[in-house]
C-alpha cells in the first residue's frame, strides 16, 4: 500500500511518501548505481531517488527497493526524492522472486536442478 502522510495529516504539505518502489539503474554519466521510481504508483515514473551508492551497489542493476521518501523541490531543478533512513534501505519483499531472478540471472527457476 502506498501512502502519503498528507492523507493522514492534512496540515502537512505533500512532502513525505511511504512505501515507494524504486529500481536500481546504472547511471553511465556518473558511473554509479541510482534509484528511479517504477511505473504503477501514485508518483511519477522515473523520478530520481537520492540514496547512498554503497547501500544499493551490493545488488545488481534491476533490483527493486521499497523505501520511505521525502520530496525535494529546488528552484531550477527537477523534483526528486530523498530516501529516509538511508542506511536501512532494503530490497522489496513484494518483489522477492523478481529480485532473486535479477541476482541469479533471468533463467533462474526456483527448485530446479540446474541451480543446485
Amino acid at each position: 500500500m502506498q501512502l502519503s502522510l498528507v492523507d493522514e495529516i492534512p496540515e502537512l504539505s505533500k512532502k513525505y511518501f511511504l512505501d515507494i518502489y524504486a529500481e536500481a539503474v546504472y547511471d553511465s554519466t556518473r558511473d554509479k548505481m541510482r534509484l528511479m521510481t517504477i511505473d504503477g504508483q501514485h508518483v511519477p515514473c522515473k523520478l530520481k531517488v537520492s540514496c547512498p551508492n554503497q547501500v544499493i551497489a551490493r545488488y545488481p542493476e534491476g533490483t527493486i527497493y521499497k523505501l520511505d521518501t521525502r520530496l525535494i523541490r529546488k528552484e531550477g531543478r527537477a523534483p526528486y526524492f530523498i530516501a529516509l533512513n538511508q542506511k536501512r534501505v532494503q530490497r522489496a519483499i513484494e518483489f522477492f522472486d523478481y529480485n532473486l531472478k535479477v541476482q541469479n540471472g533471468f533463467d533462474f527457476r526456483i527448485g530446479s536442478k540446474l541451480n543446485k
Side-chain angles (χ1 to χ4, degrees):
M1 177 180 142
Q2 190 174 1
L3 174 71
S4 167
L5 289 179
V6 75
D7 298 333
E8 300 298 317
I9 307 170
E11 319 61 80
L12 292 177
S13 62
K14 204 166 193 171
K15 288 183 182 179
Y16 295 94
F17 294 83
L18 306 177
D19 300 335
I20 299 295
Y21 295 100
E23 179 180 8
V25 294
Y26 180 73
D27 184 353
S28 59
T29 59
R30 295 182 180 228
D31 192 33
K32 67 178 188 173
M33 297 292 278
R34 109 171 303 142
L35 292 178
M36 303 282 274
T37 58
I38 62 174
D39 197 16
Q41 304 182 80
H42 296 288
V43 296
C45 181
K46 303 292 183 197
L47 195 62
K48 293 179 183 177
V49 181
S50 177
C51 181
N53 191 45
Q54 64 269 21
V55 173
I56 59 173
R58 287 182 262 175
Y59 298 103
E61 181 178 16
T63 302
I64 305 291
Y65 294 87
K66 181 178 181 179
L67 52 155
D68 299 333
T69 60
R70 179 173 173 226
L71 181 62
I72 306 296
R73 292 184 182 135
K74 291 185 178 178
E75 195 171 321
R77 289 187 63 183
Y80 64 96
F81 283 127
I82 188 165
L84 303 176
N85 289 330
Q86 293 187 357
K87 294 179 183 172
R88 294 190 186 138
V89 172
Q90 296 181 355
R91 293 173 294 162
I93 193 73
E94 293 85 350
F95 288 84
F96 179 79
D97 290 335
Y98 176 81
N99 284 340
L100 196 57
K101 286 179 184 179
V102 168
Q103 253 181 279
N104 296 303
F106 278 97
D107 59 345
F108 178 79
R109 288 179 203 88
I110 295 175
S112 74
K113 292 183 179 181
L114 297 173
N115 299 309
K116 293 182 179 179

